[in-house]
Amino acid sequence: MSQVTRRELFPGVWLRAVHTNKFKSSYLSLTLLTPLDRKTAGANALIPEVLRRGTAVHPDMESLSAALDKLYGGAIEPVVRKKGETQCLGFVASFLDDAYALNGEKILEPAAGLLCEMLLKPYTQNGHFCPDYTAGEKANLIDRIRAQINDKRTYATQRLVQEMCRYEAFGVDKLGDEESVSAITPEGLWQRYQELMRTARVELYYCGSADPDRVAGALAQALDSLPVNENRSSPSCDVRVTAGPEPIVVEEAMDVSQGKLALGFRTGGQSCWEADYPAFTLCNAIFGGTTLSKLFMNVREKLSLCYYASSVAESRKGLVMVSSGIEFDKYQTAKDEILAQLEAIRRGEIEDWELEGCRRTLIGAYRATMDDQGRQEEFWLGQSVAGLEDSPEELAQQLEHVTREQVAESAKRFQLDTIYFLKGKEV
């Protein structure tokens, strides 16, 4: 059994500790939470990459690697994520758990120290970030932004979100855009870094065998040079309840052999904060969120209208996005059939095997989260961003009581907002 605790170490600096003997490694993460904004997203995404290049104590990748090797080959990686309308940037780290170290050696304290050193004591030149490190990581980030178009399935969903949430923070990509990244200077990036250190809420996460009080002490000491601010921001998310009177239709033509059809729905305010969240979750699973769903079993398998068809619920924003791959001339037929499957759910036309199969799939996924440290960290970060405390087991139990009628009522609140179609140039 694992014990989950949460405490505030300093104003706006929170630690969630999962005390467990289940794993041979300890998992640490340090995440800065800041509002997703087109003006700052690119710089925010660049900062962890530049910080990972070197610190004042370990000024290059070679010396950082040597420090990690001394910790039994630990790893610290930069990461940028998007949770609702919050940009989450920082580091995830994995180290040998103290219980498995030789001669009772303590790994937690030096690991926490190195992680926080990377955040708080960056390698600088002339009072700002190293120009070479900044230029190198800028080029890498621009390459990542440009490469997004290579995965057309992901690209279509990204374009759907951009169009659907054009005037909302959720429409901003977590990596920013090429134009804003290109304009970043070492001096400007340093100013943005200083601002984040002063204003961003900090979420710390630990999973391992160490006592939570010891974890809190180690991290509090490692973060003692973090600026004190009684008003660190807690980003919020704007959930738009309704779609426009008519769906927005966006078509793009590229040199592709397979069409990509993406549909975006507003959920009528259904989100992770609402009492009907379990019904909303199961509704999406039956619609397109599992391999037992109506989109997969009917649109893809039975009717062969799509190469793939699935849906994803964005619970912090109140959206459902359908993603499908189709022949160019199947656009209208596929779109009509996707909407017909949603209508079937609204009428309560849900077989027992669909209802129970999707329920068991979701419950199994929640419980499997407890077997993977990375998935646990991702889950608890999402809960922290949303200000929620329900555990995977508690969410699994809530699903047990959802009825067919509640699923149908959830589906009735879906409103088609935007249609995005990526087609071939010859069409």
Side-chain angles (χ1 to χ4, degrees):
M1 277 296 288
S2 61
Q3 176 193 10
V4 182
T5 57
R6 181 166 164 82
R7 69 180 80 184
E8 193 173 23
L9 301 185
F10 310 114
V13 180
W14 291 85
L15 166 66
R16 190 180 300 276
V18 179
H19 184 221
T20 178
N21 296 309
K22 195 172 192 175
F23 306 101
K24 292 186 177 180
S25 61
S26 290
Y27 202 95
L28 268 174
S29 73
L30 188 160
T31 309
L32 305 176
L33 307 185
T34 188
L36 195 58
D37 188 294
R38 203 173 304 279
K39 296 176 183 176
T40 57
N44 291 344
L46 186 59
I47 284 169
E49 304 291 342
V50 175
L51 292 175
R52 180 63 177 82
R53 290 291 295 269
T55 72
V57 183
H58 303 92
D60 53 38
M61 297 284 279
E62 186 177 357
S63 56
L64 274 174
S65 295
L68 287 166
D69 286 343
K70 290 179 182 177
L71 298 174
Y72 294 84
I76 301 177
E77 297 299 332
V79 63
V80 179
R81 291 172 279 192
K82 172 178 167 179
K83 302 285 184 184
E85 293 180 340
T86 298
Q87 192 178 16
C88 309
L89 51 136
F91 304 98
V92 293
S94 182
F95 300 93
L96 183 71
D97 194 275
D98 282 355
Y100 297 92
L102 298 174
N103 304 317
E105 186 178 354
K106 300 298 183 187
I107 307 295
L108 171 62
E109 284 77 6
L114 186 59
L115 178 67
C116 295
E117 174 191 315
M118 207 169 283
L119 177 74
L120 296 171
K121 300 175 182 176
Y123 175 67
T124 60
Q125 290 183 357
N126 301 317
H128 50 70
F129 284 121
C130 168
D132 286 347
Y133 290 175
T134 304
E137 294 307 326
K138 266 179 62 175
N140 290 340
L141 181 55
I142 289 170
D143 285 345
R144 286 175 64 192
I145 292 170
R146 289 175 177 170
Q148 290 176 322
I149 199 171
N150 295 334
D151 181 344
K152 296 299 189 292
R153 180 173 181 170
T154 303
Y155 173 76
T157 301
Q158 183 184 38
R159 288 287 296 117
L160 172 72
V161 169
Q162 286 174 352
E163 295 293 340
M164 188 174 178
C165 303
R166 178 178 290 275
Y167 303 107
E168 300 162 73
F170 192 73
V172 178
D173 188 80
K174 68 177 183 179
L175 300 180
D177 58 76
E178 184 177 342
E179 182 181 1
S180 61
V181 173
S182 298
I184 293 171
T185 64
E187 297 85 354
L189 192 65
W190 182 254
Q191 289 177 2
R192 181 59 192 154
Y193 162 76
Q194 297 285 356
E195 188 174 350
L196 281 172
M197 292 301 99
R198 290 192 306 270
T199 63
R201 197 174 102 208
V202 182
E203 283 291 333
L204 301 162
Y205 175 87
Y206 170 81
C207 177
S209 68
D211 181 83
D213 289 338
R214 181 183 156 209
V215 178
L219 286 165
Q221 183 177 352
L223 287 168
D224 63 353
S225 62
L226 183 73
V228 175
N229 180 0
E230 298 285 342
N231 299 304
R232 288 186 176 273
S233 65
S234 293
S236 59
C237 188
D238 174 35
V239 177
R240 271 187 55 186
V241 175
T242 58
E246 292 293 331
I248 300 164
V249 179
V250 179
E251 291 191 1
E252 265 187 295
M254 285 188 189
D255 187 13
V256 292
S257 58
Q258 183 187 114
K260 306 295 179 186
L261 174 61
L263 280 66
F265 297 84
R266 304 279 177 180
T267 62
Q270 296 176 89
S271 67
C272 58
W273 296 286
E274 304 302 319
D276 52 16
Y277 175 60
F280 167 47
T281 305
L282 188 52
C283 178
N284 175 67
I286 292 169
F287 183 35
T290 66
T291 53
L292 295 174
S293 69
K294 288 186 178 292
L295 293 187
F296 186 89
M297 298 297 289
N298 296 328
V299 183
R300 181 185 185 273
E301 294 292 293
K302 189 183 294 184
L303 300 173
S304 299
L305 287 174
C306 302
Y307 296 104
Y308 62 86
S310 63
S311 66
V312 173
E314 177 44 68
S315 64
R316 295 172 204 89
K317 182 61 181 169
L319 303 177
V320 167
M321 280 90 73
V322 171
S323 173
S324 65
I326 62 173
E327 294 289 345
F328 303 132
D329 61 357
K330 293 284 186 13
Y331 165 81
Q332 192 65 44
T333 311
K335 185 190 80 171
D336 289 348
E337 192 55 45
I338 289 168
L339 296 176
Q341 298 302 321
L342 180 60
E343 283 299 328
I345 300 173
R346 288 169 170 160
R347 293 192 298 267
E349 295 172 6
I350 304 166
E351 301 288 342
D352 288 345
W353 63 265
E354 290 176 302
L355 183 67
E356 294 308 317
C358 291
R359 192 197 310 273
R360 299 267 75 81
T361 299
L362 286 181
I363 288 171
Y366 275 131
R367 289 178 174 155
T369 299
M370 309 310 294
D371 298 325
D372 184 285
Q373 286 177 302
R375 284 177 62 181
Q376 274 198 65
E377 188 271 346
E378 189 83 37
F379 171 84
W380 282 117
L381 177 63
Q383 292 294 83
S384 296
V385 169
L388 298 171
E389 289 298 317
D390 293 329
S391 69
E393 182 58 39
E394 287 169 331
L395 290 173
Q397 290 173 4
Q398 291 169 19
L399 283 166
E400 294 280 10
H401 308 293
V402 177
T403 65
R404 180 182 280 102
E405 291 72 25
Q406 288 173 319
V407 170
E409 286 303 312
S410 175
K412 288 175 184 176
R413 295 173 65 183
F414 287 21
Q415 291 181 292
L416 181 60
D417 184 291
T418 303
I419 301 167
Y420 173 83
F421 182 43
L422 177 61
K423 60 184 180 179
K425 285 186 174 179
E426 70 279 5
V427 175

